[in-house]
Amino acid sequence: MQRSKGVNIKNLSKIYVSHSGNGNFKAVDNISIDIKAGEFVTLLGPSGCGKTTTLRMVAGFEIPTEGDIYLGGDRINDLTPDKRDTSMVFQSYALFPHLNIYDNIAYGLKLKKLSKSEIEEKAKTIIDLVGLKGMETRYPNQLSGGQQQRVALARALVMEPGVLLFDEPLSNLDAKLRVYMRTEIRKIQKKVGITAIYVTHDQSEAMSLSDRIIIMNKGIVEQVGTPKEIYYTPATQFVADFIGTANFINGTIKEINDGKAVIDATGTILTVKYSGSKSVGDECKIVLRPEAMEIGDAGLFKGTVTSSTFMGAFQDYAIKIGEDEIKCENFNPKIKKVYEEGAEVYINFSTDNIHVI
């Protein structure tokens, strides 16, 4: 049904000119991104990082200051939003309250002046796909938030766009429904095979939905990669800190040989995989995830427990090592020794579980 298209963003910038004398604001700073046809890509980052501005430039709601946007190989900078082969699913749903579900979904098809039979066929197919069969005559105020979001998704899909754009579509839903709806969105996207660009600040949403994640910060792209690449091999401290929870241990590189580095980390010598650009003598940071550690009565790093909290699936520890405090999640604490605040402990981990930046 869909004829999905790739998206190529070349040296894209957006500068908002200040009229108050406070200086111009560069919301997006010379970014380049290639998205393959049929791929689900998420723009992820904190508020003000430029992700929504980037999405709105692809949609045509914002005009780039510099750079080009290509859709299926065609430059679309000069096309108005209605002339671009895209559909947007908004955060606010943007449904027509005076139209029933069927008419909301069929609205765009009627504007295209398709025949009644063609409209009915396309609308019925999409209504079945998103699980709204039997609700066609209801109005938006008679639906739950999740059902309204399905209508918004159906209305975008029925236009058979080359690219589907999502602007934080689940932020108005409660936590449980968000998890359910993100699963449904991914399932529908895969079934239809459409290219999707999704904006969120929710890292778990990005991890569960995406083929690739684009991490943005202050208008630039910090890293592009699969969820596993972003999590296990973050390119920068910002990425490591933004995705999940990360501990940072200061170190100094003593040797580099055959893809491995010898690092002095607060007096402990570690040999780890390394393919970065630092040299012998440079300072570095070791990224260590809380779940990648075990604590015990002997090990690599000695520290003092500053907090110990039972979280059900794991015991959550904060441990002071020298000047650093690190987080450790010890899973299945029922069958393990639990250390209380003030206890002296040792931290163990496999060097395969650490990453050097």
Side-chain angles (χ1 to χ4, degrees):
M1 180 181 69
Q2 296 292 343
R3 28 172 197 80
S4 61
K5 294 180 178 179
V7 177
N8 305 99
I9 293 170
K10 305 290 185 190
N11 306 115
L12 196 68
S13 294
K14 178 63 179 179
I15 300 170
Y16 291 103
V17 178
S18 170
H19 299 291
S20 61
N22 294 329
N24 298 337
F25 172 63
K26 193 169 248 189
V28 176
D29 188 359
N30 193 34
I31 68 169
S32 295
I33 302 166
D34 291 318
I35 299 168
K36 296 188 288 288
E39 193 175 21
F40 197 119
V41 169
T42 298
L43 300 173
L44 175 68
S47 295
C49 72
K51 58 188 184 295
T52 298
T53 303
T54 300
L55 189 79
R56 288 177 63 82
M57 283 192 283
V58 174
F61 301 138
E62 296 281 357
I63 307 301
T65 307
E66 296 171 348
D68 298 297
I69 304 167
Y70 296 88
L71 189 63
D74 298 321
R75 186 177 180 275
I76 61 169
N77 288 47
D78 302 324
L79 299 181
T80 55
D82 59 307
K83 296 291 190 293
R84 299 188 182 199
D85 195 8
T86 61
S87 285
M88 177 86 86
V89 180
F90 295 94
Q91 180 179 336
S92 62
Y93 316 140
L95 303 179
F96 297 114
H98 62 290
L99 298 180
N100 64 26
I101 300 319
Y102 177 87
D103 288 333
N104 260 287
I105 292 169
Y107 184 81
L109 298 176
K110 290 175 181 175
L111 287 182
K112 288 174 76 174
K113 295 187 166 49
L114 299 185
S115 68
K116 187 177 179 182
S117 61
E118 198 174 355
I119 290 172
E120 286 178 357
E121 182 187 345
K122 289 179 182 291
K124 180 181 181 302
T125 300
I126 292 297
I127 286 167
D128 288 349
L129 180 70
V130 300
L132 290 170
K133 190 175 181 180
M135 300 184 187
E136 294 89 342
T137 59
R138 294 189 192 179
Y139 287 82
N141 65 358
Q142 297 173 310
L143 301 181
S144 67
Q147 289 166 337
Q148 288 184 50
Q149 188 54 268
R150 286 171 186 271
V151 176
L153 179 58
R155 187 179 57 186
L157 281 170
V158 81
M159 302 303 290
E160 299 180 7
V163 179
L164 192 55
L165 308 173
F166 293 90
D167 184 14
E168 304 209 33
L170 305 182
S171 57
N172 290 335
L173 304 179
D174 64 57
K176 194 171 181 180
L177 190 54
R178 283 180 77 147
V179 172
Y180 175 74
M181 280 304 299
R182 75 189 187 205
T183 304
E184 288 298 294
I185 285 173
R186 182 58 163 150
K187 192 188 299 178
I188 291 165
Q189 183 267 337
K190 277 185 171 179
K191 190 170 183 178
V192 176
I194 193 170
T195 308
I197 306 176
Y198 192 100
V199 162
T200 185
H201 61 270
D202 185 316
Q203 53 181 275
S204 59
E205 219 165 86
M207 295 282 276
S208 64
L209 281 166
S210 313
D211 293 312
R212 286 189 302 152
I213 299 172
I214 297 163
I215 304 280
M216 294 189 68
N217 178 34
K218 297 179 180 176
I220 67 166
V221 172
E222 292 263 348
Q223 188 173 357
V224 180
T226 66
K228 282 185 179 179
E229 288 167 347
I230 296 284
Y231 190 78
Y232 290 129
T233 56
T236 65
Q237 185 169 344
F238 174 84
V239 174
D241 210 21
F242 191 78
I243 291 285
T245 303
N247 296 302
F248 300 99
I249 299 172
N250 293 315
T252 305
I253 296 178
K254 296 298 185 184
E255 295 177 34
I256 299 176
N257 287 304
D258 298 325
K260 291 189 175 181
V262 177
I263 296 173
D264 182 343
T266 63
T268 299
I269 302 300
L270 302 170
T271 301
V272 302
K273 292 177 184 174
Y274 185 64
S275 58
S277 58
K278 289 185 179 291
S279 304
V280 173
D282 286 350
E283 293 186 350
C284 64
K285 286 189 183 291
I286 292 170
V287 181
L288 187 58
R289 298 290 184 183
E291 73 278 6
M293 295 179 281
E294 290 286 342
I295 68 171
D297 297 323
L300 292 166
F301 288 103
K302 184 179 180 181
T304 304
V305 175
T306 55
S307 76
S308 175
T309 309
F310 176 66
M311 299 298 290
F314 61 91
Q315 191 76 16
D316 187 38
Y317 293 104
I319 300 166
K320 189 85 168 177
I321 299 174
E323 296 301 311
D324 300 317
E325 186 171 81
I326 68 171
K327 300 277 285 180
C328 175
E329 294 173 354
N330 226 8
F331 281 81
N332 199 12
K334 187 176 182 180
I335 61 169
K336 295 176 182 174
K337 180 178 178 180
V338 173
Y339 297 87
E340 301 301 334
E341 187 177 328
E344 286 197 345
V345 295
Y346 285 84
I347 293 170
N348 289 296
F349 50 85
S350 165
T351 54
D352 287 340
N353 282 334
I354 65 179
H355 178 66
V356 181
I357 55 175

